[in-house]
């Protein structure tokens, strides 16, 4: 019997809805506030001009500099094609398709479920509490055959940190049974909250980091997995032989130099003060029902008639991230913090819209 190409594909791939990335969703804007990127480029010069040789699997300068930055040993660091690859590597190393499961607590980052679906691993979602903290009793009930729990702190898209006491309780209930992956993609905006110091106490803790947000390098595709050596050794078994192109390692090394880190910290301080300004401005608008506090480079807010607000801004070239269809986030839009001009343009547009609709 002959089958068409579609029918030859795996069932889970045929039914898969791919991750709706900001880039995929498109738009024709000049104010891009939808992907939590840093709003301005950081410039680099390639120091390595020859590309005839394969790169190192784990470029030494990158893992050593990241380890120093994170206060860890190089053997506790894995570098990969963005944190997104780290999310998937943990599943591929620890979860048996069709047998093991992962667990996460929505509303949260969308790639945990997309990766699980792609690989064919069952996923369980245990909704966060109303204050967006972990529902620990509900998690405890769902842990059977769970091998990895993904926990994002500060959480995307809500912007809040997860209570460290709850994380300790989660680590206690999963000890010896499952890994806990703490996604710290935004930790540079609240560095005191990192769990990196906890690695010495918890062999089953894994931390994800990225150069895509505070380091202003989303286009580089470079991320890190931090864990104890036994975990890293397993992940290295399943990673591609050359995950990082030579120019990527080159630029990542520069971003992680003392100068690069200093520049990142200056950028973070600027964004954090702009966030304070936005948190002051947004609640004054009649269209805005609720503004959630944030430890990150974005703000989640609930609007009256958010589809109309989203569309009107979109038509003016101001592109936000619509969270309306996300469970628990009806009426919510996520706003990445841009340049001062971009933030002012956003507030001006929302003011005009508030007047128009009053
Ligand atoms: C942006 C983001 C990532 C992905 O980071 P990359 O390094 O660009 O792959 C992972 N987790 C969360 C929560 C993010 O917001």
């Amino acid at each position: 019997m002959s089958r068409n190409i579609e029918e030859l594909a795996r069932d889970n791939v045929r039914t898969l809805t791919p991750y709706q990335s900001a880039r995929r969703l498109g738009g024709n804007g000049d104010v891009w506030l939808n992907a939590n990127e840093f709003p301005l480029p950081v410039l680099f010069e390639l120091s390595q001009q020859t590309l005839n040789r394969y790169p190192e699997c784990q470029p030494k300068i990158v893992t050593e500099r990241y380890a120093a930055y994170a206060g860890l040993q190089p053997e506790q660091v894995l570098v990969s094609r963005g944190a997104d690859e780290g999310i998937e590597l943990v599943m591929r190393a620890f979860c048996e398709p069709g047998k093991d499961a992962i667990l996460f607590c929505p509303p949260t980052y969308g790639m945990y479920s997309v990766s699980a679906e792609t690989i064919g691993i069952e996923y369980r979602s245990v909704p966060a509490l109303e204050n967006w903290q972990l529902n620990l009793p509900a998690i405890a009930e769902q842990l059977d055959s769970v091998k990895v729990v993904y926990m994002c702190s500060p959480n995307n898209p809500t912007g809040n940190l997860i209570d460290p006491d709850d994380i300790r309780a989660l680590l206690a209930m999963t000890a010896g049974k499952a890994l806990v992956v703490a996604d710290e993609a935004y930790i540079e905006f609240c560095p005191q909250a990192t769990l990196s110091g906890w690695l010495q106490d918890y062999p089953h803790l894994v931390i994800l980091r990225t150069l895509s947000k505070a380091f202003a390098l989303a286009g580089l595709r470079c991320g890190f997995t931090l864990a104890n050596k036994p975990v890293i050794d397993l992940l290295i078994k399943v990673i591609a032989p050359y995950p990082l192109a030579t120019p990527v390692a080159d630029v990542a090394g520069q971003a992680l130099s003392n100068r690069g880190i200093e520049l990142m910290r200056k950028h973070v301080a600027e964004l954090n003060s702009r966030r304070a300004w936005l948190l002051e401005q947004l609640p004054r608008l009649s269209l805005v029902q609720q503004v959630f506090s944030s430890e990150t480079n974005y703000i989640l807010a609930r609007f009256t008639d958010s589809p109309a607000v989203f569309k009107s801004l979109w038509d003016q070239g101001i592109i936000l991230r619509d969270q309306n269809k996300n469970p628990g986030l009806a009426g919510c839009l996520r706003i990445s913090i841009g340049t001062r001009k971009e933030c002012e343009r956003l507030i001006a547009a929302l003011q005009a819209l508030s007047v128009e609709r009053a």
Side-chain angles (χ1 to χ4, degrees), residues 82-84 87 109 112 152 156 183 185-186 210 212-213 221-223:
D84 280 350
I87 291 169
Y109 187 51
Y112 314 136
C152 189
N156 181 3
D183 190 336
Y186 299 95
T210 180
S212 296
K213 311 288 164 50
R221 311 306 304 127
C222 186

Side-chain angles (χ1 to χ4, degrees), residues 41-52:
V42 170
L43 300 178
F44 295 94
E45 266 178 48
L46 292 185
S47 59
Q48 203 166 336
Q49 303 287 354
T50 62
L51 297 171
N52 56 313

Side-chain angles (χ1 to χ4, degrees), residues 33-305:
L33 304 178
N34 66 342
N36 299 343
E37 298 148 331
F38 188 76
L40 295 171
V42 170
L43 300 178
F44 295 94
E45 266 178 48
L46 292 185
S47 59
Q48 203 166 336
Q49 303 287 354
T50 62
L51 297 171
N52 56 313
R53 302 290 179 191
Y54 281 112
E56 287 174 272
C57 176
Q58 292 290 294
K60 216 164 168 254
I61 184 154
V62 179
T63 51
E64 280 179 355
R65 285 189 174 175
Y66 202 86
Y69 163 66
L72 298 170
Q73 296 304 312
E75 64 184 29
Q76 295 174 295
V77 175
L78 180 93
V79 56
S80 63
R81 179 177 30 78
D84 280 350
E85 187 176 28
I87 291 169
E88 194 171 306
L89 288 174
V90 174
M91 283 182 215
R92 283 174 41 213
F94 288 90
C95 299
E96 196 74 67
K99 181 166 159 262
D100 298 328
I102 64 151
L103 185 151
F104 53 85
C105 302
T108 192
Y109 187 51
M111 278 306 289
Y112 314 136
S113 62
V114 170
S115 283
E117 255 175 81
T118 308
I119 309 177
I121 298 167
E122 180 201 341
Y123 62 86
R124 305 213 183 118
S125 44
V126 175
L129 299 171
E130 219 166 284
N131 62 357
W132 285 327
Q133 293 299 322
L134 303 177
N135 186 342
L136 289 167
I139 292 173
E141 263 178 35
Q142 294 286 317
L143 278 181
D144 264 358
S145 73
V146 165
K147 279 283 192 68
V148 188
V149 177
Y150 288 86
M151 189 245 354
C152 189
S153 182
N155 187 39
N156 181 3
T158 53
N160 63 292
L161 284 166
I162 305 299
D163 184 336
D165 291 337
D166 289 353
I167 303 175
R168 288 219 188 259
L170 177 66
L171 283 160
M173 72 171 76
T174 50
K177 293 186 217 144
L179 299 184
V180 172
V181 175
D183 190 336
E184 293 191 343
Y186 299 95
I187 203 66
E188 281 80 12
F189 299 97
C190 50
Q192 72 292 343
T194 182
L195 304 183
S196 60
W198 295 21
L199 285 174
Q200 56 188 0
D201 300 324
Y202 298 104
H204 59 308
L205 174 62
V206 177
I207 298 169
L208 298 175
R209 298 281 192 85
T210 180
L211 298 187
S212 296
K213 311 288 164 50
F215 280 92
L217 289 170
L220 188 65
R221 311 306 304 127
C222 186
F224 298 87
T225 305
L226 314 178
N228 287 295
K229 187 168 183 291
V231 174
I232 299 293
D233 286 348
L234 286 160
L235 298 180
I236 285 185
K237 282 188 169 186
V238 300
I239 200 169
Y242 312 107
L244 256 50
T246 300
V248 172
D250 190 354
V251 172
Q254 294 175 50
L256 294 167
S257 67
N258 290 335
R259 249 184 81 211
I261 291 170
E262 213 174 286
L263 181 64
M264 176 277 287
R265 291 201 172 117
K266 182 172 146 263
H267 287 159
V268 164
E270 287 165 8
L271 280 194
N272 283 354
S273 71
R274 215 167 291 142
R275 180 181 68 212
W277 181 78
L278 277 175
L279 284 171
E280 210 178 274
Q281 297 296 316
L282 285 166
R284 294 184 187 160
L285 300 162
S286 60
L287 287 171
V288 174
Q289 288 179 330
Q290 194 176 8
V291 182
F292 298 96
S293 68
S294 169
E295 306 285 336
T296 65
N297 66 337
Y298 52 87
I299 293 172
L300 186 73
R302 188 167 267 132
F303 291 80
T304 52
D305 199 2

